[in-house]
Amino acid sequence: MRKITYTQATMEALQEEFRRNDRVISMSNDISVELREEFGEERIRLTPISESAFVGAATGLAGSGFVSVVDLRMATFAFVAMDQMVNQMAKITYMFGGQAKFPVLLRMSIGAGIHMAAQHSISPYSMYMNVPGLKLIVPSTPYDIKGLLKTAVRDPNPVICFEHSALAMVTGEVPEEEYTLPFGKADIKREGQDVTVVALSQMVHEALAVAEAMEKQGVSVEVVDPRTLVPLDSQTIKKSLAKTGRFVVVDEACRTCGAAAEILAQVAEDDEVFRKLKATPQRVCGIDIPIPYSPPMENYAIPDRAKIAAAVNKVLGR
Amino acid sequence: MRKITYTQATMEALQEEFRRNDRVISMSNDISVELREEFGEERIRLTPISESAFVGAATGLAGSGFVSVVDLRMATFAFVAMDQMVNQMAKITYMFGGQAKFPVLLRMSIGAGIHMAAQHSISPYSMYMNVPGLKLIVPSTPYDIKGLLKTAVRDPNPVICFEHSALAMVTGEVPEEEYTLPFGKADIKREGQDVTVVALSQMVHEALAVAEAMEKQGVSVEVVDPRTLVPLDSQTIKKSLAKTGRFVVVDEACRTCGAAAEILAQVAEDDEVFRKLKATPQRVCGIDIPIPYSPPMENYAIPDRAKIAAAVNKVLGR
Amino acid sequence: MAIDNQELIRMYRTMLTIRRFDERASKEFRGGSGTVPGLVHSYIGQEAIATGVCFNLRLDDRIVSNHRGHGHLISKGADVRRMMAEIFGKKTGYCKGKGGSMHIADFGIGILGANGIVAAGLPIATGAALAAHLEGGDKIVAVFFGDGATQEGEFHESMNLASIWKLPIVFVCENNQYGVNTHYKYAVAGGSIPRRAKAYNMPVRSVDGNDVVAVYEGAKEVVARTREHIGPYFLEFKTYRWSMHFESDAIPDMRPKEEIEAWKKKCPIVRFGKKLLKMGVVTEKDLADINDEVMAKIQDAVDYALESPLPAPEDALEDVFSV
Amino acid sequence: MAIDNQELIRMYRTMLTIRRFDERASKEFRGGSGTVPGLVHSYIGQEAIATGVCFNLRLDDRIVSNHRGHGHLISKGADVRRMMAEIFGKKTGYCKGKGGSMHIADFGIGILGANGIVAAGLPIATGAALAAHLEGGDKIVAVFFGDGATQEGEFHESMNLASIWKLPIVFVCENNQYGVNTHYKYAVAGGSIPRRAKAYNMPVRSVDGNDVVAVYEGAKEVVARTREHIGPYFLEFKTYRWSMHFESDAIPDMRPKEEIEAWKKKCPIVRFGKKLLKMGVVTEKDLADINDEVMAKIQDAVDYALESPLPAPEDALEDVFSV
Ligand SMILES: Cc1ncc(C[n+]2csc(CCOP(=O)(O)OP(=O)(O)O)c2C)c(N)n1
Ligand SMILES: Cc1ncc(C[n+]2csc(CCOP(=O)(O)OP(=O)(O)O)c2C)c(N)n1
Ligand SMILES: [Mg+2]
Ligand SMILES: [Mg+2]
């Protein structure tokens, strides 16, 4: 199968969905020349640097029969529009008793590794997970982002897609034929017998590298990529655990109240899983610090393969 | 000892700290007449409805040698100032390499039960817990809020105080003499032997009521109130668990990625605690829905005594 | 005056419906009988504005409202039964009891919802106006907000966005002079809201908000121009809120007593009633009949709300997502 | 011209220092040798503004800067060694390598920090101005931001707040005409930023941002007035950014090539140098000497940065909270 980059897969997804439905409209203060050329300035709209206005406008547009696609760029920029996401977009379907649909896709970049410090680097999905009414996706491969973005554009609800900056140039197999991927369906990125490692976004790749290295040591690691955080496919995670009995969750985001806490909690509070746990479940997360600028500190702030391997070894009692 | 309300205790804390340090300045778009009369309009400042501006101004003021106290009222309103809290206040001590102090106290009301629906009811502390650089307090009694608020005003860092609306009229013993309470020190609100119940904010009172009721059934429940979420006193929680081996955490906030997930994760991932757990740990949380308006649904959305009792019974195997 | 008599009477009836609706909703809340569980922000005193503006709108035009929204909804044609039921927290309410007073919407007749966050409706309305623009045609949007909302960043961004994109939207500022207890002359630098709108390159009109005919006439031209889809318009109406910020003593009313009394003398309904009498459009008897009719309608709404079932607790689980 | 010759030469030297600093920082980044790990937003082309404004400020005045901050910092007196070290991510940098180019601060000399979020410095600066107001005296604050920042809600709220509280702050808008690739005439409704400032009841002055003497003179009066603590002032400087938005091809520069070239001809440093020559303040030799001196200073800063140690990984754990 052909290989394309994460960025190319993203672009294909948007192009296909814009072609499929001419009521899909995009807004951003940094527009794609490629999309603009194909779909024109009415549909690919250049905004002022006014995130609250255009995120809110996305809601109003969606509630009026269109589909809104917004690129906020860095996830840190999104905080200036937080009211429109948390108080408005997430809640109005509910508050209005379900009488209208709000199909909005918001995209934002996450993650450390770009040496731009704390105001440009964050992985804030868990903040949104605590806000019911938003669907949240964290695609880790070109294949996943293409399929999930296409589903997102067709979903009648607000969806936030968190795209790790480090993934942009990652390549992967993507079929020529059209496909979509369902929300709430985890992907077992690698099968294994001894340990279940749940990893998110860019950390999927780190976990896979560790799994490969450990294979040589005779350890069989199963890597589960939830792909969507809301809805979260805990069934697949629990099924994997029923097999392995050993659990590690890897997330780049800050440890405290991160998605990893939730995933670990869901595992630990489940009677059946709890009974089968052969070792204390482990989190491998970003340290609770703002992302620092200088690479030695920045690298230290987030999980690396050594830390993942250490956690895997720990649950294996090695 | 004299009894006063939570609101009165709050007022006393502020009055005392404003008297103690004339560089303490408050800003809000809804000011206290009492404070204004005593401290004047220069110190008790009436703002426009411009939360980003006055929360940001609080940071600039604090970075210039003053102490800022801001009342944001409802926690939902705070989202319009999220950039100033999350990108600025929380991070600039760190990003500037620790060269300046930013003593800011932000207060906001949380919780359901006021029948004002989702845009006025939320318990969003876990969102802030994922943002390093903010200290977070959730006082549940008049005694606690007075002591913790006084500490907060003297802390050289941004502190957010989350005050549950339902606590305003709750009374409790508060000494006449001055005192402060340390951050990071949980309070065992009730000692017990069989089950550890960690409860937050208003849920402390519900947990205590359940503990009292269960006492009559011969069950001895220990109720631990962390009082501050950042820093979190996990030692006290773990010590309690070493004794009881049974764990329930109760939080009104939405379940997914709430503070309860973090507290449960900290318990479950600790080797020593994990080994001593006699039953699957349990969360009793708000349901993952925006807070609905109508009381039957609103009450249903958050934990009640029956749900807490059920969880306690479950970990007891009853 | 070019407004036909039937239209004038309909306007009067609408204003009175708003008045009686909010009197009743407030009374039910204050009565403490639990019929109205949540706060009510009364529109009393401002009835001429919603009425005069919405009488220029078509069913397919859209409005976005704010926390003080009952008047906007009634003027746009919302069903008072389903409104009252919502405020009573009943399953038959517009939002099945999930929203309450501050979140009533009726997408079927272009009411895109009230809003509990100051100024947050403006970006949403701007998006609805973008929809109208993209649809072509001559549909428009009107968004209602107070003087207080002009202090928020979302106001600024929306005004700017609507202006540069030349969207078909009327920004309706109900300047009742206070945001809770704060006078706009204190909180709005320069003390002029229209001046601000002009800085966004938007045409502006300021009209007496207590004179429904002036409101209607002013809005008429503005709406007609906006239907041409050549850009937004800003309308400021000076008015006054009679009641406290909301119907509860949680926040005391600090406005000068004499000021409140003086404005009550400028009652938009009494004034309009007198005008209609003077014009010979109605008799005293007609006005009394209208009042009876409106009272009956409100009573019917209350009865409907009272008789309606409360939602079941588990109903709370529905509508988080659309399917 | 009432500026004394030594002052004029100091200003020239400051402008050139900024220029050489950003040329070198950009080169180091583009060189890809890893000396500069993170992005650099070059101030080249805008040197006259920071210089002309900050030469009117005292050490105890405060400034707040933005993402394009090197010029502001150098003009206010920041140490180029510690700046360069910060940009190189070294432990000896202003922020111990935690902030990088967009987050340099020096509280000791009134630099309250650069900022990576558009317009987010304005509320912070407003708070610093509140401090100056409360302290009494004649200290002031200057906040630097671009045309793009005027599109954000935080701009609006800060302008309003500073105005109603009559705070001693100068809002310095560096209108380099683009926010990344978006022209302000597209993104700012009405196309006039001063007009907007006036709507907040703020006095405004628009000055050629490429003429350092005009900047200095304009700012002088404005700063003097602001020192009286009678309210804020708004200064707009029209100028142009020579480089791409930041020193990376991640975002292509879409501005017209001819426009860029035309503005390069208006180089504020060349222009000022010619003026100084014409005035007889300096000779060609003096200018060459200044350049050598500045080049040496920048080389020294680079050497310092190169020789400085990187932070240890665990240093990351410090400074989350003050004690
Ligand atoms: C972001 C935000 N801040 C504060 C509030 C609390 N609040 C509700 S209404 C109101 C006053 C609004 O004044 P105005 O816009 O003039 O409307 P009015 O109440 O006068 O009709 C305030 C401060 C809120 N709902 N949202
Ligand atoms: C809230 C926010 N939105 C978007 C960005 C991305 N961004 C960084 S600088 C910039 C352009 C700013 O333009 P302007 O204020 O004119 O400053 P200039 O770069 O021209 O000096 C943008 C959009 C950001 N940093 N913060
Ligand atoms: Mg008002
Ligand atoms: Mg610019």
Side-chain angles (χ1 to χ4, degrees):
Chain A
M1 212 185 289
R2 73 185 176 135
K3 284 193 169 195
I4 59 175
T5 65
Y6 194 84
T7 303
Q8 285 166 330
T10 304
M11 180 55 73
E12 283 190 5
L14 295 176
Q15 284 167 326
E16 290 176 16
E17 293 307 303
F18 274 83
R19 283 175 203 140
R20 185 174 174 270
N21 178 358
D22 64 12
R23 292 177 85 84
V24 181
I25 307 297
S26 103
M27 289 184 273
S28 179
N29 60 51
D30 194 2
I31 53 173
S32 143
V33 176
E34 210 172 332
L35 290 179
R36 187 129 196 193
E37 272 170 9
E38 179 170 354
F39 303 106
E41 55 183 35
E42 283 287 8
R43 291 183 63 197
I44 310 299
R45 303 189 73 88
L46 175 64
T47 64
I49 315 173
S50 312
E51 287 82 357
S52 287
F54 66 77
V55 170
T59 304
L61 183 64
S64 305
F66 287 81
V67 176
S68 306
V69 175
V70 168
D71 185 357
L72 278 157
R73 315 260 329 162
M74 300 302 187
T76 51
F77 307 163
F79 292 121
V80 306
M82 200 69 171
D83 163 54
Q84 284 297 332
M85 295 186 288
V86 167
N87 285 326
Q88 312 298 331
M89 198 176 278
K91 292 176 176 174
I92 63 184
T93 299
Y94 189 81
M95 289 196 308
F96 297 157
Q99 59 177 290
K101 297 187 203 305
F102 298 94
V104 180
L105 165 61
L106 300 177
R107 298 172 53 214
M108 51 180 89
S109 319
I110 56 165
I114 51 173
H115 325 314
M116 289 182 80
Q119 284 181 345
H120 283 75
S121 305
I122 199 166
S123 299
Y125 23 82
S126 72
M127 297 170 75
Y128 298 92
M129 287 170 79
N130 194 237
V131 179
L134 301 170
K135 297 193 179 178
L136 309 174
I137 66 179
V138 282
S140 66
T141 66
Y143 177 76
D144 289 350
I145 194 161
K146 182 167 180 190
L148 291 170
L149 272 185
K150 285 171 66 77
T151 302
V153 175
R154 300 180 197 183
D155 195 288
N157 296 287
V159 179
I160 306 182
C161 181
F162 298 95
E163 304 169 19
H164 198 292
S165 300
L167 294 173
M169 288 302 125
V170 166
T171 58
E173 295 194 337
V174 174
E176 303 272 1
E177 314 76 58
E178 154 144 71
Y179 67 99
T180 60
L181 290 173
F183 288 180
K185 186 85 204 66
D187 185 39
I188 299 183
K189 286 278 190 291
R190 180 189 180 102
E191 296 209 16
Q193 305 301 323
D194 304 330
V195 185
T196 299
V197 175
V198 176
L200 303 180
S201 189
Q202 150 69 3
M203 285 297 141
V204 169
H205 301 278
E206 304 305 316
L208 286 170
V210 170
E212 195 159 325
M214 298 202 83
E215 172 109 67
K216 294 176 193 126
Q217 305 168 28
V219 178
S220 165
V221 176
E222 178 144 307
V223 178
V224 181
D225 177 358
R227 295 199 293 202
T228 69
L229 290 169
V230 177
L232 179 69
D233 178 7
S234 14
Q235 279 331 99
T236 298
I237 297 170
K238 290 179 184 170
K239 236 169 90 186
S240 172
L241 268 167
K243 176 171 67 176
T244 66
R246 295 190 171 86
F247 178 76
V248 174
V249 53
V250 187
D251 181 17
E252 176 180 327
C254 289
R255 181 184 195 88
T256 300
C257 279
E262 177 61 31
I263 296 172
L264 194 150
Q266 291 200 16
V267 163
E269 76 192 352
D270 184 290
D271 281 324
E272 229 164 293
V273 177
F274 187 73
R275 229 176 290 133
K276 292 202 180 115
L277 282 177
K278 299 177 193 152
T280 320
Q282 295 296 307
R283 279 189 280 181
V284 183
C285 298
I287 302 173
D288 283 326
I289 53 175
I291 298 297
Y293 167 72
S294 187
M297 296 192 287
E298 188 183 29
N299 294 337
Y300 179 74
I302 61 169
D304 59 16
R305 294 177 193 180
K307 286 180 201 154
I308 300 170
V312 171
N313 281 326
K314 184 166 187 298
V315 297
L316 283 163
R318 316 198 313 163
Chain B
M1 212 186 290
R2 75 187 174 130
K3 284 193 167 193
I4 59 175
T5 64
Y6 193 85
T7 303
Q8 285 166 330
T10 305
M11 180 55 73
E12 283 190 5
L14 296 176
Q15 283 167 326
E16 290 176 16
E17 294 306 302
F18 274 83
R19 282 175 205 143
R20 185 172 173 271
N21 178 359
D22 65 11
R23 292 177 85 83
V24 181
I25 307 298
S26 103
M27 288 183 273
S28 179
N29 61 51
D30 193 3
I31 53 173
S32 143
V33 177
E34 211 172 331
L35 291 178
R36 185 127 199 195
E37 272 171 10
E38 180 170 352
F39 303 105
E41 55 184 35
E42 283 287 9
R43 292 185 62 198
I44 310 299
R45 303 189 73 89
L46 175 65
T47 64
I49 315 173
S50 311
E51 288 81 359
S52 286
F54 66 78
V55 170
T59 303
L61 184 64
S64 306
F66 287 80
V67 175
S68 306
V69 175
V70 168
D71 184 358
L72 278 157
R73 315 258 332 162
M74 301 302 187
T76 50
F77 306 164
F79 292 121
V80 305
M82 200 69 170
D83 163 54
Q84 284 296 332
M85 296 186 288
V86 167
N87 285 327
Q88 312 297 332
M89 199 176 277
K91 293 176 177 173
I92 64 183
T93 298
Y94 189 82
M95 287 195 309
F96 296 158
Q99 60 177 289
K101 297 187 204 302
F102 297 94
V104 180
L105 166 62
L106 299 177
R107 299 171 52 216
M108 52 180 88
S109 318
I110 56 165
I114 51 173
H115 325 313
M116 290 181 79
Q119 284 182 345
H120 282 75
S121 306
I122 198 166
S123 298
Y125 22 83
S126 73
M127 297 170 74
Y128 298 92
M129 288 170 77
N130 194 238
V131 180
L134 302 171
K135 297 192 179 179
L136 308 175
I137 66 179
V138 282
S140 66
T141 66
Y143 177 77
D144 289 350
I145 194 161
K146 182 166 180 191
L148 291 171
L149 272 186
K150 284 170 67 76
T151 301
V153 175
R154 299 180 197 183
D155 196 288
N157 295 287
V159 178
I160 306 183
C161 180
F162 298 95
E163 305 169 18
H164 197 293
S165 300
L167 294 173
M169 287 303 125
V170 166
T171 59
E173 294 193 338
V174 175
E176 302 273 1
E177 314 75 58
E178 154 143 72
Y179 67 98
T180 61
L181 290 173
F183 286 0
K185 186 85 203 66
D187 185 38
I188 299 184
K189 286 277 191 291
R190 182 190 178 102
E191 296 208 17
Q193 305 300 324
D194 303 332
V195 185
T196 299
V197 175
V198 176
L200 302 179
S201 190
Q202 150 70 2
M203 284 298 141
V204 169
H205 300 278
E206 304 305 316
L208 285 170
V210 169
E212 194 161 326
M214 300 203 82
E215 171 108 66
K216 293 178 192 122
Q217 304 167 27
V219 177
S220 166
V221 176
E222 179 145 306
V223 178
V224 181
D225 176 358
R227 296 199 292 202
T228 69
L229 290 170
V230 177
L232 179 69
D233 179 6
S234 13
Q235 278 330 101
T236 298
I237 296 170
K238 289 178 185 172
K239 236 169 89 185
S240 172
L241 267 168
K243 177 171 66 177
T244 66
R246 294 190 171 86
F247 179 76
V248 174
V249 53
V250 187
D251 181 18
E252 177 180 327
C254 288
R255 181 185 196 88
T256 299
C257 280
E262 176 60 32
I263 296 172
L264 193 150
Q266 291 201 15
V267 162
E269 74 192 354
D270 183 290
D271 282 323
E272 229 165 292
V273 177
F274 186 72
R275 228 174 293 133
K276 293 204 180 111
L277 282 178
K278 300 178 192 151
T280 320
Q282 295 295 309
R283 278 189 281 180
V284 183
C285 297
I287 302 173
D288 284 327
I289 54 174
I291 298 296
Y293 168 72
S294 188
M297 295 192 288
E298 187 183 29
N299 295 335
Y300 179 77
I302 62 170
D304 59 16
R305 295 177 192 179
K307 285 181 201 153
I308 300 170
V312 171
N313 282 325
K314 182 162 188 302
V315 295
L316 282 163
R318 314 196 318 161
Chain C
M1 211 180 320
I3 321 176
D4 108 348
N5 286 358
Q6 286 319 306
E7 190 80 346
L8 289 169
I9 293 169
R10 282 214 307 127
M11 271 162 57
Y12 183 84
R13 192 185 292 113
T14 298
M15 288 169 72
L16 202 64
T17 306
I18 298 171
R19 171 74 50 99
R20 299 294 179 238
F21 186 95
D22 266 0
E23 280 171 354
R24 186 63 186 266
S26 303
K27 192 174 138 214
E28 295 286 330
F29 176 79
R30 288 203 165 264
S33 57
T35 47
V36 174
L39 287 176
V40 168
H41 294 76
S42 159
Y43 195 69
I44 292 174
Q46 308 182 191
E47 297 90 343
I49 302 170
T51 305
V53 170
C54 290
F55 265 66
N56 285 291
L57 300 182
R58 298 192 312 238
L59 199 68
D60 65 344
D61 289 326
R62 299 185 176 103
I63 68 164
V64 173
S65 167
N66 65 355
H67 58 286
R68 200 175 299 289
H70 301 169
H72 314 139
L73 312 175
I74 290 173
S75 308
K76 187 69 168 62
D79 174 3
V80 288
R81 288 180 144 203
R82 294 181 66 199
M83 282 179 64
M84 198 64 90
E86 185 61 33
I87 295 169
F88 278 50
K90 297 302 182 73
K91 202 177 162 70
T92 54
Y94 263 116
C95 310
K96 308 177 190 165
K98 289 190 167 116
S101 161
M102 275 186 287
H103 306 292
I104 298 176
D106 185 346
F107 279 68
I109 57 169
I111 300 173
L112 266 49
N115 206 307
I117 302 295
V118 170
L122 280 82
I124 297 171
T126 303
L130 173 57
H133 164 77
L134 293 167
E135 284 161 353
D138 60 356
K139 211 184 284 183
I140 70 158
V141 174
V143 53
F144 294 89
F145 54 94
D147 46 296
T150 69
Q151 300 153 30
E152 287 282 4
E154 297 194 28
F155 163 82
H156 172 76
E157 296 187 9
S158 305
M159 294 283 288
N160 189 51
L161 190 64
S163 183
I164 69 166
W165 284 352
K166 299 194 167 50
L167 300 179
I169 176 169
V170 183
F171 289 93
V172 183
C173 179
E174 302 187 77
N175 182 0
N176 63 9
Q177 304 173 64
Y178 289 87
V180 190
N181 285 313
T182 306
H183 201 281
Y184 82 103
K185 296 248 174 182
Y186 170 80
V188 174
S192 163
I193 295 170
R195 185 166 160 201
R196 232 166 242 195
K198 281 180 203 145
Y200 300 99
N201 211 28
M202 225 178 266
V204 183
R205 185 175 290 215
S206 274
V207 177
D208 177 354
N210 281 33
D211 176 352
V212 71
V213 175
V215 172
Y216 178 86
E217 298 285 355
K220 195 182 183 75
E221 282 183 43
V222 166
V223 165
R225 179 186 177 284
T226 309
R227 287 208 190 287
E228 293 171 31
H229 283 210
I230 52 176
Y233 216 112
F234 193 89
L235 268 167
E236 183 203 37
F237 297 107
K238 190 72 86 58
T239 185
Y240 204 80
R241 140 173 76 75
W242 286 20
S243 315
M244 309 179 68
H245 174 63
F246 45 49
E247 294 300 321
S248 144
D249 300 318
I251 303 183
D253 195 337
M254 313 281 283
R255 299 172 305 166
K257 294 267 165 308
E258 319 75 62
E259 188 181 88
I260 302 175
E261 289 317 312
W263 276 92
K264 282 191 178 172
K265 296 221 175 73
K266 301 187 206 166
C267 173
I269 297 178
V270 169
R271 183 166 162 185
F272 189 36
K274 280 191 187 146
K275 184 174 215 148
L276 293 181
L277 286 172
K278 208 159 135 200
M279 287 168 69
V281 174
V282 292
T283 63
E284 290 278 7
K285 164 95 176 43
D286 291 338
L287 292 187
D289 286 350
I290 293 173
N291 189 48
D292 290 347
E293 187 194 310
V294 167
M295 289 299 275
K297 188 170 169 185
I298 300 301
Q299 185 56 46
D300 168 70
V302 170
D303 291 344
Y304 176 79
L306 282 171
E307 285 157 18
S308 291
L310 281 165
E314 304 75 31
D315 289 346
L317 303 176
E318 283 162 24
D319 299 321
V320 178
F321 291 109
S322 298
V323 281
Chain D
M1 211 182 320
I3 319 176
D4 111 346
N5 286 357
Q6 287 317 306
E7 189 81 348
L8 289 170
I9 294 170
R10 282 211 310 125
M11 271 163 57
Y12 183 83
R13 192 185 292 113
T14 299
M15 288 169 72
L16 202 64
T17 307
I18 298 171
R19 171 75 50 100
R20 299 295 178 237
F21 185 96
D22 266 1
E23 280 173 355
R24 186 64 187 266
S26 303
K27 192 175 140 213
E28 295 286 330
F29 176 80
R30 287 206 167 261
S33 58
T35 50
V36 172
L39 287 177
V40 168
H41 296 76
S42 158
Y43 195 68
I44 292 175
Q46 308 183 192
E47 298 90 343
I49 300 170
T51 304
V53 170
C54 289
F55 264 67
N56 286 290
L57 300 182
R58 298 191 315 237
L59 199 68
D60 66 343
D61 288 328
R62 299 185 176 103
I63 68 163
V64 172
S65 167
N66 66 354
H67 58 285
R68 200 175 300 289
H70 301 169
H72 313 139
L73 312 175
I74 291 173
S75 308
K76 186 68 169 62
D79 174 4
V80 288
R81 287 179 145 206
R82 297 181 64 199
M83 282 179 64
M84 198 65 90
E86 185 60 35
I87 296 169
F88 277 51
K90 297 302 181 74
K91 200 176 164 69
T92 54
Y94 263 116
C95 310
K96 309 176 188 166
K98 288 189 168 120
S101 161
M102 274 187 287
H103 306 292
I104 298 177
D106 184 347
F107 278 68
I109 57 169
I111 299 173
L112 268 49
N115 207 308
I117 303 296
V118 170
L122 280 81
I124 295 171
T126 303
L130 174 57
H133 163 77
L134 292 168
E135 286 163 350
D138 61 355
K139 212 184 283 181
I140 70 158
V141 172
V143 54
F144 294 89
F145 54 93
D147 46 296
T150 70
Q151 299 153 31
E152 286 283 4
E154 297 195 29
F155 163 83
H156 171 76
E157 296 187 10
S158 305
M159 294 283 288
N160 188 50
L161 190 63
S163 182
I164 68 164
W165 284 353
K166 302 194 166 46
L167 300 179
I169 176 169
V170 183
F171 288 93
V172 183
C173 180
E174 301 187 77
N175 183 0
N176 63 9
Q177 305 174 63
Y178 289 86
V180 190
N181 286 314
T182 306
H183 201 280
Y184 82 103
K185 297 248 174 185
Y186 171 79
V188 174
S192 163
I193 294 171
R195 184 168 162 201
R196 230 166 242 197
K198 281 182 203 143
Y200 300 99
N201 210 28
M202 225 178 268
V204 183
R205 186 175 289 215
S206 274
V207 177
D208 177 354
N210 280 31
D211 176 353
V212 71
V213 175
V215 172
Y216 178 85
E217 299 284 356
K220 193 183 185 73
E221 281 183 44
V222 166
V223 165
R225 179 188 176 283
T226 309
R227 286 208 191 289
E228 293 172 31
H229 283 211
I230 52 176
Y233 216 112
F234 193 90
L235 269 167
E236 183 203 37
F237 296 107
K238 190 74 86 58
T239 185
Y240 203 81
R241 143 173 74 75
W242 286 20
S243 315
M244 309 180 70
H245 172 64
F246 46 48
E247 292 301 321
S248 144
D249 300 318
I251 304 183
D253 195 338
M254 312 282 280
R255 299 173 305 166
K257 293 269 166 305
E258 319 76 60
E259 188 181 86
I260 302 175
E261 289 316 312
W263 274 92
K264 283 190 179 174
K265 297 219 176 73
K266 301 186 206 167
C267 174
I269 298 179
V270 169
R271 181 166 163 185
F272 188 37
K274 280 191 187 148
K275 183 174 217 150
L276 292 181
L277 287 171
K278 208 161 133 199
M279 286 168 70
V281 174
V282 292
T283 62
E284 291 278 7
K285 164 91 176 47
D286 292 338
L287 292 186
D289 288 349
I290 293 174
N291 189 48
D292 290 348
E293 187 194 312
V294 167
M295 289 299 276
K297 189 172 169 182
I298 300 300
Q299 184 57 47
D300 168 70
V302 171
D303 291 344
Y304 177 79
L306 283 171
E307 286 156 19
S308 291
L310 281 166
E314 304 76 28
D315 289 346
L317 303 176
E318 283 162 25
D319 299 320
V320 179
F321 291 109
S322 298
V323 282

